Amino acid sequence: MKINIEKNTPTLMIVPIILMMLVVTITPLIYVFGISLTDSTIARAFQNFIGFANYKQAFQDNIFKQSIFNTLWFAFAVSAIEIFFGFTLAFIVIKIKSKGTAILLSTLSLLPLFTPPVATAMIWKLIYDPNSGLINHYMYKWGIFQRVVAFLGENNLAMPAIMFTDIWQWTPFCFLLCLSVFQLLPKEPYEAADVDGASPWQVFRRLTLPMVLPNVIIIFLFKFLIALKVFDLVYMLTYGGPGIRTQVTSFYIYRVVFKMFKTGYGGALSIIVLLTISVVAMLITTIHKKTLKGE
Amino acid sequence: MENKIVSNSKTIKKRATNNIFKGKIIYFIILSLFMLFILTPIFFMFITSMKMPLEIRMSGALFPKSGFTTLNWVRTFESVPIVKYIFNSVVVASISTFLVMIVALMASYSINRFGTGGPLLPMLILGTYIMPPIVVSLYIFSMIRILGLADNMIGLSMVHMLLNMPIAVWLIEGHIRRLPEEVERAAWVDGYSKFRTLFKIVLPMIKPGVISAAVICFLLSWSEFLFALILTYSPKSMTFPVGVSQFVGQHGVQFGQMSAGALVGIIPIYIVVFVFSSTMLKTITGAAVKR
């Protein structure tokens, strides 16, 4: 049988990507699930089949539970704040109707977005530092702080400090996307509203918001799913400390697998994290579909 | 009477313009704060890299009292093989970007024009992006070791290619979507194969978009940390983020040298970003927001 190359070109074109996806998704999952049922270490893969003992241990692991909570809280908080600021800033830029401002701010927004996260973490490590940092220097000088504050070492400030760093990096991204959502709005409804003498608040509430909301929700979900992967900032800024206050799942699995060398246990944690994220992702897509139908 | 009405309407107009003016000032202040928020941290790092080491240890002032020095920069280049790190990053990012572009171009063309893989394939590609890389790190680490590619730039660029693939498909698909199909049909009538149409007709038309997508993938590979950390452990193959992360050690941080080291990697990125800014913006927003 001869294959008709021309007719099958579209299929042939996706063969490499399918192979690559097998390499990054299905095979690893089989491998990781397999290894999670064993008592493996990094030097000896697949030794001693122990069934679901690793999973049982994971559900009693308080550090792991805390890390899941921290990750979800981090992702939710930063995404909400970034979308809020990004949306507001984009709205203002549209309001003042100056093309130059839009271009200037968009271009500047690319800077944090493409700063390597490691370098971003370094910038903020420097800013938060009690001795060499910008914040402590001026807050102390202006008498707002009575003593220097080690942001990354305080129990209640370490997590907000990491969040703030993420906000610096990603607010510009949300701003860019919100701006393009606004720029795509049709003109006619606004002219009609103008003729009808609608107040600015009415225009925003009844016209702008319903039109942009579906897209803004998508941006939020997208940012949320990106934030769940947080690793670099925690590694560089706090290394999970103080205590386990900033322990996140990616970082904890990294510690278990590559510092404690417990690959079997790390595999079990990976599978649990993956299931959690899949459930969260499915949950938000169904909610999103329902809200779309409700509009 | 008439005069009064005229003057009344004038004051109303004046008040209105006054309000608009006030509103504009508030907007202007907010936008300036946003700009300051973006720029101050970068500026502060730059200043710190030029401060005297002694002053860095004692004060975080934005404008140093004891003047500027290039001491930190010199020490950074002396103590760390930072040029080698940058070179490694360029090699890894170039190889991975080149490969990912070819694969992504074919895939996004096939998906957009022929609907190959139905609605499932784009979902799967999105799914691979959502999956946290740490989940597969264990597997990739063992595979790379079995293949003998540990601490090797080729191995790392393969991994970066896999990581950036979903993003590349996305970015390119946005450009293909906006292209009218008529030209391609004409090419088919002229006897071009689908393959040839893609590379000879479609690719030249979306060239700026593909270049900016390539720039974005390059920068993402340049910034990638987790796999670079796991898969490289000597200056032979260490990329910039891993190399520079060593400035933040257990025994406190050398902030002056750290700042200089980080800036060595950041400044080229900023130059690239400024050069390609307009097409990059189009690519990012075009991929994310469906028209």
PDB file of all heavy atoms in Angstrom, chain B residues 90-114:
ATOM      1  N   VAL B  90      23.146  31.328  25.103  1.00  0.00           N
ATOM      2  CA  VAL B  90      22.886  31.641  23.700  1.00  0.00           C
ATOM      3  C   VAL B  90      22.816  30.357  22.885  1.00  0.00           C
ATOM      4  O   VAL B  90      21.910  30.171  22.066  1.00  0.00           O
ATOM      5  CB  VAL B  90      23.962  32.591  23.137  1.00  0.00           C
ATOM      6  CG1 VAL B  90      23.815  32.748  21.633  1.00  0.00           C
ATOM      7  CG2 VAL B  90      23.871  33.941  23.811  1.00  0.00           C
ATOM      8  N   VAL B  91      23.740  29.430  23.136  1.00  0.00           N
ATOM      9  CA  VAL B  91      23.751  28.170  22.382  1.00  0.00           C
ATOM     10  C   VAL B  91      22.458  27.382  22.632  1.00  0.00           C
ATOM     11  O   VAL B  91      21.754  26.992  21.696  1.00  0.00           O
ATOM     12  CB  VAL B  91      24.975  27.311  22.782  1.00  0.00           C
ATOM     13  CG1 VAL B  91      24.876  25.919  22.183  1.00  0.00           C
ATOM     14  CG2 VAL B  91      26.254  27.986  22.330  1.00  0.00           C
ATOM     15  N   VAL B  92      22.146  27.193  23.918  1.00  0.00           N
ATOM     16  CA  VAL B  92      20.951  26.408  24.263  1.00  0.00           C
ATOM     17  C   VAL B  92      19.701  27.050  23.671  1.00  0.00           C
ATOM     18  O   VAL B  92      18.877  26.379  23.032  1.00  0.00           O
ATOM     19  CB  VAL B  92      20.824  26.286  25.799  1.00  0.00           C
ATOM     20  CG1 VAL B  92      19.477  25.719  26.180  1.00  0.00           C
ATOM     21  CG2 VAL B  92      21.931  25.423  26.349  1.00  0.00           C
ATOM     22  N   ALA B  93      19.573  28.363  23.856  1.00  0.00           N
ATOM     23  CA  ALA B  93      18.366  29.043  23.387  1.00  0.00           C
ATOM     24  C   ALA B  93      18.276  29.003  21.864  1.00  0.00           C
ATOM     25  O   ALA B  93      17.191  28.821  21.310  1.00  0.00           O
ATOM     26  CB  ALA B  93      18.347  30.485  23.887  1.00  0.00           C
ATOM     27  N   SER B  94      19.407  29.122  21.163  1.00  0.00           N
ATOM     28  CA  SER B  94      19.373  29.112  19.700  1.00  0.00           C
ATOM     29  C   SER B  94      18.932  27.757  19.176  1.00  0.00           C
ATOM     30  O   SER B  94      18.029  27.672  18.333  1.00  0.00           O
ATOM     31  CB  SER B  94      20.745  29.445  19.114  1.00  0.00           C
ATOM     32  OG  SER B  94      21.215  30.641  19.642  1.00  0.00           O
ATOM     33  N   ILE B  95      19.554  26.695  19.673  1.00  0.00           N
ATOM     34  CA  ILE B  95      19.196  25.357  19.185  1.00  0.00           C
ATOM     35  C   ILE B  95      17.723  25.074  19.459  1.00  0.00           C
ATOM     36  O   ILE B  95      16.966  24.674  18.567  1.00  0.00           O
ATOM     37  CB  ILE B  95      20.075  24.271  19.855  1.00  0.00           C
ATOM     38  CG1 ILE B  95      21.541  24.475  19.502  1.00  0.00           C
ATOM     39  CG2 ILE B  95      19.626  22.882  19.430  1.00  0.00           C
ATOM     40  CD1 ILE B  95      22.478  23.549  20.244  1.00  0.00           C
ATOM     41  N   SER B  96      17.298  25.315  20.713  1.00  0.00           N
ATOM     42  CA  SER B  96      15.916  24.964  21.057  1.00  0.00           C
ATOM     43  C   SER B  96      14.932  25.814  20.248  1.00  0.00           C
ATOM     44  O   SER B  96      13.921  25.304  19.772  1.00  0.00           O
ATOM     45  CB  SER B  96      15.679  25.137  22.554  1.00  0.00           C
ATOM     46  OG  SER B  96      15.665  26.483  22.896  1.00  0.00           O
ATOM     47  N   THR B  97      15.246  27.096  20.062  1.00  0.00           N
ATOM     48  CA  THR B  97      14.321  27.958  19.323  1.00  0.00           C
ATOM     49  C   THR B  97      14.207  27.525  17.873  1.00  0.00           C
ATOM     50  O   THR B  97      13.104  27.457  17.318  1.00  0.00           O
ATOM     51  CB  THR B  97      14.788  29.424  19.388  1.00  0.00           C
ATOM     52  OG1 THR B  97      14.928  29.793  20.745  1.00  0.00           O
ATOM     53  CG2 THR B  97      13.799  30.337  18.717  1.00  0.00           C
ATOM     54  N   PHE B  98      15.336  27.208  17.251  1.00  0.00           N
ATOM     55  CA  PHE B  98      15.309  26.793  15.851  1.00  0.00           C
ATOM     56  C   PHE B  98      14.422  25.554  15.674  1.00  0.00           C
ATOM     57  O   PHE B  98      13.534  25.522  14.823  1.00  0.00           O
ATOM     58  CB  PHE B  98      16.740  26.503  15.378  1.00  0.00           C
ATOM     59  CG  PHE B  98      16.814  26.060  13.949  1.00  0.00           C
ATOM     60  CD1 PHE B  98      16.607  26.969  12.919  1.00  0.00           C
ATOM     61  CD2 PHE B  98      17.073  24.737  13.628  1.00  0.00           C
ATOM     62  CE1 PHE B  98      16.660  26.563  11.599  1.00  0.00           C
ATOM     63  CE2 PHE B  98      17.126  24.322  12.312  1.00  0.00           C
ATOM     64  CZ  PHE B  98      16.920  25.236  11.293  1.00  0.00           C
ATOM     65  N   LEU B  99      14.630  24.547  16.527  1.00  0.00           N
ATOM     66  CA  LEU B  99      13.848  23.313  16.399  1.00  0.00           C
ATOM     67  C   LEU B  99      12.373  23.553  16.683  1.00  0.00           C
ATOM     68  O   LEU B  99      11.500  23.087  15.947  1.00  0.00           O
ATOM     69  CB  LEU B  99      14.408  22.253  17.352  1.00  0.00           C
ATOM     70  CG  LEU B  99      15.821  21.777  17.038  1.00  0.00           C
ATOM     71  CD1 LEU B  99      16.313  20.830  18.107  1.00  0.00           C
ATOM     72  CD2 LEU B  99      15.858  21.094  15.673  1.00  0.00           C
ATOM     73  N   VAL B 100      12.105  24.301  17.748  1.00  0.00           N
ATOM     74  CA  VAL B 100      10.713  24.484  18.144  1.00  0.00           C
ATOM     75  C   VAL B 100       9.949  25.262  17.072  1.00  0.00           C
ATOM     76  O   VAL B 100       8.769  25.006  16.826  1.00  0.00           O
ATOM     77  CB  VAL B 100      10.615  25.156  19.527  1.00  0.00           C
ATOM     78  CG1 VAL B 100      10.742  26.640  19.451  1.00  0.00           C
ATOM     79  CG2 VAL B 100       9.323  24.791  20.207  1.00  0.00           C
ATOM     80  N   MET B 101      10.631  26.164  16.392  1.00  0.00           N
ATOM     81  CA  MET B 101       9.955  26.955  15.367  1.00  0.00           C
ATOM     82  C   MET B 101       9.493  26.083  14.208  1.00  0.00           C
ATOM     83  O   MET B 101       8.382  26.231  13.709  1.00  0.00           O
ATOM     84  CB  MET B 101      10.892  28.047  14.847  1.00  0.00           C
ATOM     85  CG  MET B 101      10.947  29.259  15.722  1.00  0.00           C
ATOM     86  SD  MET B 101       9.356  30.051  15.808  1.00  0.00           S
ATOM     87  CE  MET B 101       9.120  30.133  17.529  1.00  0.00           C
ATOM     88  N   ILE B 102      10.344  25.168  13.756  1.00  0.00           N
ATOM     89  CA  ILE B 102       9.970  24.304  12.625  1.00  0.00           C
ATOM     90  C   ILE B 102       8.768  23.434  13.001  1.00  0.00           C
ATOM     91  O   ILE B 102       7.765  23.380  12.292  1.00  0.00           O
ATOM     92  CB  ILE B 102      11.172  23.417  12.218  1.00  0.00           C
ATOM     93  CG1 ILE B 102      12.296  24.306  11.694  1.00  0.00           C
ATOM     94  CG2 ILE B 102      10.749  22.417  11.158  1.00  0.00           C
ATOM     95  CD1 ILE B 102      13.573  23.550  11.422  1.00  0.00           C
ATOM     96  N   VAL B 103       8.870  22.786  14.156  1.00  0.00           N
ATOM     97  CA  VAL B 103       7.776  21.902  14.587  1.00  0.00           C
ATOM     98  C   VAL B 103       6.487  22.695  14.774  1.00  0.00           C
ATOM     99  O   VAL B 103       5.410  22.291  14.307  1.00  0.00           O
ATOM    100  CB  VAL B 103       8.169  21.183  15.899  1.00  0.00           C
ATOM    101  CG1 VAL B 103       7.005  20.373  16.423  1.00  0.00           C
ATOM    102  CG2 VAL B 103       9.366  20.289  15.662  1.00  0.00           C
ATOM    103  N   ALA B 104       6.599  23.838  15.446  1.00  0.00           N
ATOM    104  CA  ALA B 104       5.401  24.615  15.761  1.00  0.00           C
ATOM    105  C   ALA B 104       4.774  25.205  14.495  1.00  0.00           C
ATOM    106  O   ALA B 104       3.557  25.284  14.381  1.00  0.00           O
ATOM    107  CB  ALA B 104       5.749  25.729  16.740  1.00  0.00           C
ATOM    108  N   LEU B 105       5.609  25.597  13.550  1.00  0.00           N
ATOM    109  CA  LEU B 105       5.087  26.171  12.308  1.00  0.00           C
ATOM    110  C   LEU B 105       4.231  25.147  11.575  1.00  0.00           C
ATOM    111  O   LEU B 105       3.095  25.434  11.181  1.00  0.00           O
ATOM    112  CB  LEU B 105       6.256  26.633  11.430  1.00  0.00           C
ATOM    113  CG  LEU B 105       5.900  27.495  10.225  1.00  0.00           C
ATOM    114  CD1 LEU B 105       5.311  28.804  10.680  1.00  0.00           C
ATOM    115  CD2 LEU B 105       7.131  27.744   9.373  1.00  0.00           C
ATOM    116  N   MET B 106       4.769  23.949  11.431  1.00  0.00           N
ATOM    117  CA  MET B 106       4.012  22.901  10.741  1.00  0.00           C
ATOM    118  C   MET B 106       2.735  22.570  11.505  1.00  0.00           C
ATOM    119  O   MET B 106       1.654  22.484  10.924  1.00  0.00           O
ATOM    120  CB  MET B 106       4.876  21.644  10.602  1.00  0.00           C
ATOM    121  CG  MET B 106       6.028  21.812   9.647  1.00  0.00           C
ATOM    122  SD  MET B 106       6.731  20.237   9.145  1.00  0.00           S
ATOM    123  CE  MET B 106       7.248  19.527  10.675  1.00  0.00           C
ATOM    124  N   ALA B 107       2.863  22.412  12.825  1.00  0.00           N
ATOM    125  CA  ALA B 107       1.700  22.008  13.610  1.00  0.00           C
ATOM    126  C   ALA B 107       0.613  23.073  13.569  1.00  0.00           C
ATOM    127  O   ALA B 107      -0.558  22.765  13.333  1.00  0.00           O
ATOM    128  CB  ALA B 107       2.121  21.736  15.049  1.00  0.00           C
ATOM    129  N   SER B 108       1.006  24.352  13.759  1.00  0.00           N
ATOM    130  CA  SER B 108      -0.037  25.374  13.818  1.00  0.00           C
ATOM    131  C   SER B 108      -0.696  25.571  12.453  1.00  0.00           C
ATOM    132  O   SER B 108      -1.891  25.834  12.362  1.00  0.00           O
ATOM    133  CB  SER B 108       0.518  26.686  14.363  1.00  0.00           C
ATOM    134  OG  SER B 108       1.700  27.023  13.703  1.00  0.00           O
ATOM    135  N   TYR B 109       0.081  25.393  11.379  1.00  0.00           N
ATOM    136  CA  TYR B 109      -0.495  25.498  10.037  1.00  0.00           C
ATOM    137  C   TYR B 109      -1.504  24.386   9.820  1.00  0.00           C
ATOM    138  O   TYR B 109      -2.637  24.612   9.375  1.00  0.00           O
ATOM    139  CB  TYR B 109       0.621  25.418   8.993  1.00  0.00           C
ATOM    140  CG  TYR B 109       0.155  25.619   7.571  1.00  0.00           C
ATOM    141  CD1 TYR B 109      -0.356  26.850   7.165  1.00  0.00           C
ATOM    142  CD2 TYR B 109       0.216  24.595   6.642  1.00  0.00           C
ATOM    143  CE1 TYR B 109      -0.794  27.044   5.869  1.00  0.00           C
ATOM    144  CE2 TYR B 109      -0.211  24.777   5.335  1.00  0.00           C
ATOM    145  CZ  TYR B 109      -0.717  26.008   4.960  1.00  0.00           C
ATOM    146  OH  TYR B 109      -1.147  26.198   3.679  1.00  0.00           O
ATOM    147  N   SER B 110      -1.097  23.183  10.159  1.00  0.00           N
ATOM    148  CA  SER B 110      -1.971  22.029   9.975  1.00  0.00           C
ATOM    149  C   SER B 110      -3.248  22.159  10.810  1.00  0.00           C
ATOM    150  O   SER B 110      -4.348  21.887  10.335  1.00  0.00           O
ATOM    151  CB  SER B 110      -1.202  20.765  10.358  1.00  0.00           C
ATOM    152  OG  SER B 110      -1.988  19.643  10.164  1.00  0.00           O
ATOM    153  N   ILE B 111      -3.091  22.616  12.056  1.00  0.00           N
ATOM    154  CA  ILE B 111      -4.263  22.742  12.936  1.00  0.00           C
ATOM    155  C   ILE B 111      -5.199  23.825  12.426  1.00  0.00           C
ATOM    156  O   ILE B 111      -6.409  23.631  12.317  1.00  0.00           O
ATOM    157  CB  ILE B 111      -3.810  23.067  14.381  1.00  0.00           C
ATOM    158  CG1 ILE B 111      -3.140  21.854  15.006  1.00  0.00           C
ATOM    159  CG2 ILE B 111      -4.997  23.505  15.229  1.00  0.00           C
ATOM    160  CD1 ILE B 111      -2.450  22.150  16.312  1.00  0.00           C
ATOM    161  N   ASN B 112      -4.624  24.966  12.048  1.00  0.00           N
ATOM    162  CA  ASN B 112      -5.478  26.091  11.670  1.00  0.00           C
ATOM    163  C   ASN B 112      -6.149  25.887  10.318  1.00  0.00           C
ATOM    164  O   ASN B 112      -7.325  26.186  10.143  1.00  0.00           O
ATOM    165  CB  ASN B 112      -4.649  27.375  11.648  1.00  0.00           C
ATOM    166  CG  ASN B 112      -5.526  28.586  11.418  1.00  0.00           C
ATOM    167  OD1 ASN B 112      -5.891  28.894  10.296  1.00  0.00           O
ATOM    168  ND2 ASN B 112      -5.895  29.247  12.499  1.00  0.00           N
ATOM    169  N   ARG B 113      -5.410  25.386   9.323  1.00  0.00           N
ATOM    170  CA  ARG B 113      -5.958  25.330   7.962  1.00  0.00           C
ATOM    171  C   ARG B 113      -6.728  24.057   7.663  1.00  0.00           C
ATOM    172  O   ARG B 113      -7.656  24.053   6.875  1.00  0.00           O
ATOM    173  CB  ARG B 113      -4.827  25.491   6.945  1.00  0.00           C
ATOM    174  CG  ARG B 113      -4.293  26.912   6.863  1.00  0.00           C
ATOM    175  CD  ARG B 113      -5.382  27.857   6.416  1.00  0.00           C
ATOM    176  NE  ARG B 113      -4.805  29.115   5.973  1.00  0.00           N
ATOM    177  CZ  ARG B 113      -4.905  30.260   6.630  1.00  0.00           C
ATOM    178  NH1 ARG B 113      -5.556  30.318   7.758  1.00  0.00           N
ATOM    179  NH2 ARG B 113      -4.351  31.372   6.138  1.00  0.00           N
ATOM    180  N   PHE B 114      -6.301  22.941   8.266  1.00  0.00           N
ATOM    181  CA  PHE B 114      -6.945  21.676   7.917  1.00  0.00           C
ATOM    182  C   PHE B 114      -7.696  21.067   9.094  1.00  0.00           C
ATOM    183  O   PHE B 114      -8.290  20.015   8.978  1.00  0.00           O
ATOM    184  CB  PHE B 114      -5.895  20.681   7.389  1.00  0.00           C
ATOM    185  CG  PHE B 114      -5.051  21.259   6.294  1.00  0.00           C
ATOM    186  CD1 PHE B 114      -3.734  21.626   6.514  1.00  0.00           C
ATOM    187  CD2 PHE B 114      -5.598  21.472   5.033  1.00  0.00           C
ATOM    188  CE1 PHE B 114      -2.967  22.179   5.505  1.00  0.00           C
ATOM    189  CE2 PHE B 114      -4.837  22.028   4.016  1.00  0.00           C
ATOM    190  CZ  PHE B 114      -3.519  22.378   4.253  1.00  0.00           C
TER     191      PHE B 114
END
